[in-house]
């Protein structure tokens, strides 16, 4: 897969992950009646209804799992892109060497 296709896929994946995170946080903040993570305390969570807390916990586990998968995919792709870059540099060096050899032969 070419690098530009991988970049486009990662940008799309990042956009989707960000949307999912924002959506989850909006839902959590509204459910817990807070406006920022700085307001989140154990007391607020304990005072929330058990069913709301269970839903938020379940969704947070799915979200964390999704983030871990995306980070792993990103890591694997970055290693792959790095390997492609090294291969391209090797090819350039080989072509430069061949060009120098041809120039030396012509002189």
């Amino acid at each position: 897969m070419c690098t530009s296709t991988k970049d486009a896929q990662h940008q799309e994946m990042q956009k989707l992950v960000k949307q999912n995170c924002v959506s989850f946080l909006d839902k959590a903040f509204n459910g817990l009646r807070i406006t920022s993570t700085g307001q989140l305390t154990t007391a607020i969570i304990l005072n929330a209804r058990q069913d709301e807390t269970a839903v938020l916990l379940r969704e947070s586990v799915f979200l964390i799992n999704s983030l871990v998968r995306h980070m792993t995919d990103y890591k694997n792709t970055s290693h792959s892109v790095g390997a492609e870059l090294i291969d391209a540099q090797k090819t350039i060096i080989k072509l430069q060497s061949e060009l120098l050899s041809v120039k030396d032969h012509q002189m």
Side-chain angles (χ1 to χ4, degrees), residues 84-100:
E84 288 176 11
L85 180 59
I86 290 169
D87 288 344
Q89 289 173 333
K90 286 178 183 177
T91 301
I92 290 170
I93 291 168
K94 179 182 173 191
L95 291 172
Q96 288 174 332
S97 176
E98 289 174 7
L99 179 61
L100 286 174

Side-chain angles (χ1 to χ4, degrees), residues 4 9 81:
S4 62
Q9 287 176 337
V81 169

